[in-house]
Amino acid sequence: MDDEEKPDVRPLRSARWFRKDDLPGFIHRSTLAAAGWSREDLMERPVVGILNTWSDINPCNLNLRTLAEEARVGIIEAGGIPFEVPLMSLSENIIKPTSFPFRNLLAMEAEETIRAYPFDAVVLLGGCDKTQPALLMGAASAGVPFIFLASGPATPRSSTGGDLANATGVWRLVDNLRAGKLSEGDFGAFERTVMGTPGHCAEMGTASTMAVICEALGVSLPGSSLVPAIDRRRTHYAREVGRRSVQIAAAGSPCPAEILDERAFDNAITLLCAVGGSTNTIIHLLALAGRVGVPLTLDRFDEIGRRVPMIANVQPAGEHLTERLMTAGGVPALLKTLAPLLHLDARTIDGRKMADVIESAEVLDTGVIRQLDDPVRPGEALVVVRGNLAPDGAVMKTCAADPRLLRHRGRAVIFEDVQTIADRIDDPALGIDEDSVLILRNAGPVGAAMPEWGMLPLPRHLMERGVRDMLRISDARMSGTAYGAAVLHVSPEAAIGGPLALVRDGDIIELDVPERRLHLCVGEEELARRRKEWQAKPGRHKRGYRSLYNQHVEQAHRGCDFDFLRGADEETLPDGLFDGWVGGW
Ligand code: FES
């Protein structure tokens, strides 16, 4: 009788590799004997993969080796077998031209790694912006139970001890430098402190937003997301993650689809709005939802955004770094404050419902975690706008914009690419004034792999006069650490003929956030004429991954996943002849 049919044997996925008395079973076990695991271990114990995106070119993930070691200890303590697998590390500030296209590549690597190896569950270790959504997307598609742990925020301290020592501080100081209010020397000194410790960006940028959202989605242990990377408590969480991973491995549950349902996404969007989080997270959540068959659309973000006030007083839209949010009670306390707006029956990876997770949570500082009727800022944190300039939608982080610009009408000044901005933004011949609308196009998913260029710099002459915000519109993204009146992710993008491609210098553009309207004030007839004249630029990538990317990437309103990666497979294990195939023999 096949071992799997014996009633006393747990239905472990790894049994297909290790519990067979045939030649493949022999080879699988004897191969791992070299790694120190006995036949009895492999026949009896659940196997947990630790997918690790550590690299020393990625300081945001620099502590992941330590966390992997702690997770490994937790797995062994709980009776499991740990195997650590290194995956590609996406270092946001280093990768050229932008890390964004590689999110999908890492997601594919994670998915196929999980599927191909005998893992009963996996621990996902990510940190820097794209590593987190990529791991989630890949694991969601693989269908094997997983638990996520982020590297944790860095602990930056500026030389003056202020809270400017982070990426948001960089943007603010660059503004001051361009406005002539900061010396090159002082700016240079900042270089040594801004990324002073391992860990991801310490404000509510994309990495912190993704990390806290993992708690709201229910795929991370409660309270784990905001503990700083260098804080010993993070290693405690890693060990606990290891222990819990063995339980879900042994049970074969909960699978990703059992946790990542519509309630989980609603809860995640609610938290995203409450923390004034990164617009990038919208793209990542849309892509993740696509992997598990949840019909999430941009409209759902706007619906939820209308009823959720921004209550976390954290940068870039608020005052503090995320460490203060942790000491104020962390994500459990935030979720408890948001309880009337949440699905409290949603499942979480620690085995409890959301209601039970937040029951004992407590807000310890109401200046950092505000009450629902006392928000950090009035109005919505994030909105979705539509109109003839963005038929499929665009997003705006209104909580980080000058409220004066939320209803605005101005003359378009077009930049075809980022190099033109660098060359010409200060050119007086462009006649830019504070009411102008700066437009960057050809920076969408196909046009330029959607870099974070959406916070276009302001002209020096306006900065010197004290102007600190202007309306900017693009098909690009914006760093989660950035701020300003930036309409982003315009869909469809210019490079595939979206209306953004038809705008001309001097056209009038209207933004009306209360009405959720983005309008190009040009008649239909004229637009039709321009559309006829428009020609796509030939693609730059003829081979390799970037060619694949351009052929298959979806538009921003669908999450920029590959069209062929939507939908989760049923768990597919090697079968039949393939199962009996013996590599190398
Ligand atoms: Fe890695 Fe910000 S640069 S998280």
Side-chain angles (χ1 to χ4, degrees):
M1 190 185 345
D2 188 297
D3 276 346
E4 286 176 285
E5 294 165 31
K6 292 177 185 170
D8 59 333
V9 175
R10 291 164 299 177
L12 292 179
R13 182 174 180 267
S14 59
R16 297 286 297 272
W17 278 261
F18 301 128
R19 292 190 182 181
K20 294 203 167 189
D21 284 325
D22 56 10
L23 189 54
F26 170 91
I27 291 171
H28 298 145
R29 291 187 297 270
S30 60
T31 299
L32 290 173
W37 297 104
S38 69
R39 171 186 171 89
E40 290 68 32
D41 288 331
L42 294 164
M43 296 279 277
E44 293 299 324
R45 297 164 66 168
V47 178
V48 178
I50 303 170
L51 304 195
N52 193 352
T53 55
W54 176 91
S55 166
D56 56 1
I57 201 170
N58 189 355
C60 305
N61 292 15
L62 207 54
N63 62 331
L64 292 185
R65 265 191 176 164
T66 307
L67 298 186
E69 282 307 311
E70 294 293 340
R72 182 189 293 274
V73 170
I75 291 165
I76 293 171
E77 277 176 2
I81 298 177
F83 290 111
E84 184 180 347
V85 182
L87 298 185
M88 73 184 296
S89 194
L90 304 175
S91 187
E92 190 67 22
N93 295 339
I94 304 293
I95 284 186
K96 286 188 183 299
T98 161
S99 65
F100 190 62
F102 305 112
R103 180 200 66 172
N104 292 355
L105 185 60
L106 174 54
M108 290 169 73
E109 187 190 15
E111 176 179 349
E112 300 308 333
T113 297
I114 297 168
R115 184 171 290 126
Y117 278 122
F119 299 144
D120 299 305
V122 284
V123 170
L124 308 177
L125 298 179
C128 201
D129 288 18
K130 305 305 177 299
T131 56
Q132 302 191 41
L135 291 173
L136 295 175
M137 289 159 65
S141 288
V144 171
F146 73 84
I147 184 165
F148 180 85
L149 181 66
S151 60
T155 309
R157 298 283 184 259
S158 73
S159 45
T160 55
D163 275 356
L164 272 180
N166 57 38
T168 302
V170 173
W171 306 128
R172 292 198 195 285
L173 293 182
V174 167
D175 283 352
N176 289 343
L177 186 69
R178 284 177 57 76
K181 298 194 181 319
L182 184 74
S183 73
E184 297 271 359
D186 285 349
F187 186 69
F190 186 61
E191 182 181 312
R192 289 192 295 275
T193 53
V194 65
M195 301 288 182
T197 73
H200 58 69
C201 289
E203 63 276 70
M204 198 50 75
T206 304
S208 293
T209 309
M210 282 305 302
V212 297
I213 273 178
C214 280
E215 287 193 47
L217 282 170
V219 297
S220 286
L221 290 185
S224 64
S225 62
L226 291 177
V227 176
I230 59 172
D231 189 317
R232 192 68 190 165
R233 282 171 291 180
R234 181 152 290 277
T235 57
H236 300 170
Y237 273 114
R239 205 176 280 203
E240 201 179 327
V241 161
R243 288 192 286 261
R244 177 64 186 149
S245 71
V246 177
Q247 293 171 348
I248 60 176
S253 164
C255 286
E258 293 175 286
I259 293 209
L260 296 172
D261 59 15
E262 290 184 43
R263 296 169 300 180
F265 283 93
D266 277 0
N267 289 349
I269 297 168
T270 302
L271 187 65
L272 165 66
C273 297
V275 298
S278 166
T279 45
N280 289 324
T281 319
I282 297 173
I283 291 180
H284 299 324
L285 283 173
L286 288 164
L288 182 61
R291 295 299 187 101
V292 287
V294 169
L296 184 63
T297 66
L298 270 184
D299 291 335
R300 189 65 179 150
F301 287 84
D302 198 64
E303 283 164 26
I304 292 175
R306 286 175 190 265
R307 61 177 191 244
V308 180
M310 181 185 160
I311 58 168
N313 191 3
V314 282
Q315 293 185 31
E319 293 177 89
H320 305 292
L321 297 180
T322 51
E323 192 172 345
R324 284 288 296 278
L325 191 53
M326 178 194 70
T327 53
V331 174
L334 260 174
L335 292 172
K336 188 163 191 176
T337 307
L338 294 165
L341 306 169
L342 295 175
H343 298 287
L344 297 177
D345 58 343
R347 294 184 69 176
T348 72
I349 198 66
D350 88 338
R352 295 178 292 169
K353 297 270 170 66
M354 184 59 77
D356 303 317
V357 165
I358 64 175
E359 193 181 5
S360 59
E362 209 181 328
V363 176
L364 303 172
D365 185 343
T366 52
V368 180
I369 299 179
R370 311 279 281 264
Q371 294 305 296
L372 291 177
D373 58 1
D374 180 29
V376 179
R377 286 167 178 260
E380 303 89 345
L382 301 163
V383 301
V384 175
V385 294
R386 292 177 189 275
N388 66 349
L389 196 49
D392 291 327
V395 306
M396 189 177 187
K397 188 172 177 172
T398 45
C399 63
D402 184 340
R404 173 183 71 85
L405 293 164
L406 300 184
R407 262 202 172 113
H408 186 77
R409 181 181 163 92
R411 192 178 57 84
V413 180
I414 312 283
F415 296 92
E416 297 290 346
D417 52 50
V418 74
Q419 190 57 50
T420 318
I421 300 173
D423 294 343
R424 296 209 60 199
I425 189 68
D426 295 327
D427 184 349
L430 293 179
I432 300 174
D433 63 31
E434 57 260 63
D435 291 327
S436 299
V437 179
L438 305 180
I439 291 193
L440 169 66
R441 62 188 174 200
N442 304 313
V446 173
M450 221 176 172
E452 292 183 334
W453 295 341
M455 190 177 94
L456 281 74
L458 307 187
R460 190 182 299 273
H461 74 278
L462 293 179
M463 301 218 60
E464 286 169 351
R465 277 178 30 209
V467 175
R468 286 293 181 274
D469 203 357
M470 292 173 65
L471 181 57
R472 291 158 268 189
I473 299 174
S474 75
D475 44 16
R477 296 176 301 116
M478 177 173 85
S479 167
T481 61
Y483 50 85
V487 176
L488 307 157
H489 314 176
V490 167
S491 185
E493 63 175 299
I496 62 166
L500 198 63
L502 309 180
V503 187
R504 301 222 170 137
D505 280 323
D507 285 349
I508 298 296
I509 289 178
E510 284 178 353
L511 172 70
D512 188 333
V513 167
E515 295 295 326
R516 302 293 193 268
R517 182 165 173 269
L518 181 64
H519 188 68
L520 172 61
C521 300
V522 173
E524 260 313 310
E525 226 170 86
E526 171 63 12
L527 283 179
R529 195 181 62 75
R530 292 183 191 180
R531 196 169 287 116
K532 226 171 167 183
E533 285 174 8
W534 180 82
Q535 284 189 329
K537 292 194 175 105
R540 288 199 354 249
H541 303 285
K542 304 288 181 225
R543 62 171 296 282
Y545 176 70
R546 290 295 300 279
S547 168
L548 176 85
Y549 183 87
N550 281 358
Q551 286 170 44
H552 292 283
V553 68
E554 297 191 305
Q555 288 293 286
H557 69 283
R558 285 172 63 83
C560 301
D561 203 357
F562 288 148
D563 49 12
F564 59 85
L565 290 176
R566 279 191 159 256
D569 286 341
E570 291 297 310
E571 153 78 312
T572 47
L573 282 170
D575 208 358
L577 276 178
F578 184 68
D579 205 14
W581 179 74
V582 184
W585 281 47

